[in-house]
Amino acid sequence: MGASARLGFGAWAVGGRGWGAPADEADRVAAVRLALERGVTFFDTAPTYGDGVSETILGRALKPARERVAIATKVGPEGDPRVSLEASLRRLQSEYVDLVQLHEPLGSWERVLEALHRLQEEGKARAIGICNATHLQLRRAAEIAPLASLQAPYNLFDRDVNERELPLCRERGLAFLAYRPLAAGLLTGKFAAPPSFAAGDHRRRIYWFQGKEFERRRVVIDRLRPVAAGLDLTVTRLALSWLLAQPGVSVVLVGATSPRQVEESLAPDTQPLTPDTLHEVDAIVAGAFPRARATAQLNHLAATWGARERFIVERLDGTTPYERIGAAWTDRGDSPLIAAQVKVFVDQLAEQELVVTDDR
């Protein structure tokens, strides 16, 4: 599979909601059509993206090329999977989708996967996938239906899937679809200061656009600029090339709402980084995120805290990656824990001077 084919179109923003003021609908349709012209053949959407608007736009833009593209959509964990998928097919102007995915493994999600398998047998979907699943849920899902893929967030900052999910996909031969490859736009490099997003923009709630985490990531992006320039790339292209080089990544889902954004992000000549450049990028990222070590006072205080907080504190040894802490907790089968949650907790501890790092 060529690099252009491995860059897929993530169509959440095309739905017109959740990303600030929507672009003109004609621009959004044009973005999808230009992506197709530039060699993109995988398009990922969901009925919740703009209450069906994203699917409707894809249906209109891709209908003439339906046999040349793969369209993936999703079904939620509640409600009737058949009703949901058949409504999606009408909006997509198609008799089938190439991939139907369980959007979130919540509630009665196992029942939904069983229903999706029946719909697959009827020809309404050619393959079944799951999104946002832990490795434990992924293993269980594969017992219920002939699972083909996992979709999860992955970028050069957010690497939780490296611990369990991505290795499991490689082991089982499952496709891995990486979403949020540009950290919700942060890796475009356009934010010099914490942005003020409009009401209704989901990025208002994302922790890395605020406080200490924003500053850490901004430092990384500034240090990546000369690396990108030396390769005649933008930071955006560097970040996507980093993902294309990760073993097991099948498709990198890139969002765009205008032809200009497609030209910036979905370049046909985007190629994986070389091992030397990968090492350089990883060293820059690691250098901006020193790992915390618990103080004696923190160890004493944590003895009376909840199980999850104690679990984290016991592993704050100055060397253990936060992704590994999250994965180890998730192994227990309790509520999942990711590195982002560990970082927020550690920042709170740092404000109370209960942890130390090597950069102090």
Side-chain angles (χ1 to χ4, degrees):
M1 184 184 293
S4 60
R6 291 180 61 205
L7 291 176
F9 191 99
W12 179 7
V14 159
R17 294 185 189 173
W19 292 84
D24 183 81
E25 185 168 319
D27 279 344
R28 287 180 270 151
V29 173
V32 177
R33 288 176 173 157
L34 181 58
L36 180 64
E37 290 175 15
R38 293 172 75 87
V40 174
T41 58
F42 189 94
F43 295 80
D44 178 77
T45 184
T48 54
Y49 296 169
D51 289 334
V53 172
S54 173
E55 291 178 326
T56 300
I57 286 176
L58 289 190
R60 185 189 317 162
L62 298 177
K63 186 175 182 180
R66 182 64 187 94
E67 296 305 314
R68 295 191 286 114
V69 300
I71 298 177
T73 193
K74 305 177 185 76
V75 169
E78 303 300 335
D80 188 324
R82 179 179 296 276
V83 169
S84 177
L85 181 56
E86 290 180 347
S88 292
L89 293 177
R90 287 192 293 272
R91 289 188 289 267
L92 290 164
Q93 300 184 50
S94 181
E95 295 181 356
Y96 67 95
V97 289
D98 299 273
L99 178 67
V100 62
Q101 302 158 97
L102 173 64
H103 208 154
E104 300 279 351
L106 304 172
S108 53
W109 66 272
E110 292 167 313
R111 168 194 63 83
V112 175
L113 271 185
E114 291 172 350
L116 293 183
H117 189 195
R118 290 192 291 271
L119 291 166
Q120 179 191 25
E121 291 176 330
E122 294 174 20
K124 296 182 185 294
R126 290 184 170 174
I128 299 170
I130 191 169
C131 307
N132 304 307
T134 68
H135 66 287
L136 299 176
Q137 292 168 328
L138 189 60
R139 291 180 187 278
R140 175 59 182 142
E143 296 173 351
I144 298 170
L147 207 65
S149 65
L150 169 67
Q151 182 176 154
Y154 191 29
N155 58 65
L156 59 82
F157 287 125
D158 304 296
R159 309 183 183 199
D160 289 275
V161 296
N162 277 347
E163 293 296 322
R164 301 285 189 273
E165 289 79 21
L166 196 50
L168 182 57
C169 285
R170 293 195 296 263
E171 174 191 321
R172 297 289 184 90
L174 300 178
F176 181 85
L177 315 179
Y179 78 84
R180 201 165 268 171
L182 299 176
L186 184 65
L187 278 163
T188 61
K190 65 183 179 182
F191 299 110
S196 297
F197 293 111
D201 192 319
H202 82 285
R203 290 172 293 182
R204 288 168 64 98
R205 304 187 301 272
I206 298 180
Y207 84 109
W208 62 70
F209 285 110
Q210 307 161 29
K212 290 183 178 180
E213 186 69 10
F214 176 85
E215 183 58 26
R216 287 188 288 253
R217 294 188 181 213
R218 186 196 63 77
V219 168
V220 169
I221 291 169
D222 285 347
R223 292 174 180 170
L224 290 176
R225 292 185 195 279
V227 178
L231 298 170
D232 197 24
L233 299 175
T234 62
V235 172
T236 294
R237 292 275 300 279
L238 183 76
L240 297 176
S241 295
W242 181 89
L243 270 173
L244 290 174
Q246 303 307 310
V249 173
S250 307
V251 177
V252 177
L253 296 170
V254 187
T257 58
S258 69
R260 178 184 58 80
Q261 290 181 349
V262 171
E263 290 171 355
E264 290 175 355
S265 302
L266 289 161
D269 60 344
T270 303
Q271 297 293 329
L273 297 181
T274 65
D276 285 348
T277 305
L278 281 173
H279 179 77
E280 186 176 7
V281 169
D282 291 344
I284 288 171
V285 175
F289 293 88
R291 295 160 189 162
R293 185 171 68 255
T295 63
Q297 181 186 7
L298 175 57
N299 286 320
H300 175 73
L301 291 171
T304 61
W305 293 355
R308 191 163 81 161
E309 288 76 14
R310 291 199 311 273
F311 187 92
I312 295 172
V313 169
E314 288 167 1
R315 286 156 182 80
L316 295 180
D317 56 9
T319 60
T320 302
Y322 297 157
E323 291 84 0
R324 194 161 300 158
I325 294 174
W329 171 267
T330 303
D331 287 344
R332 299 157 48 115
D334 297 314
S335 297
L337 179 66
I338 60 175
Q341 294 165 302
V342 178
K343 288 178 182 177
V344 169
F345 180 50
V346 170
D347 281 343
Q348 293 169 348
L349 296 174
E351 289 174 1
Q352 303 170 63
E353 299 184 342
L354 293 173
V355 294
V356 293
T357 58
D358 290 340
D359 66 337
R360 291 186 56 183

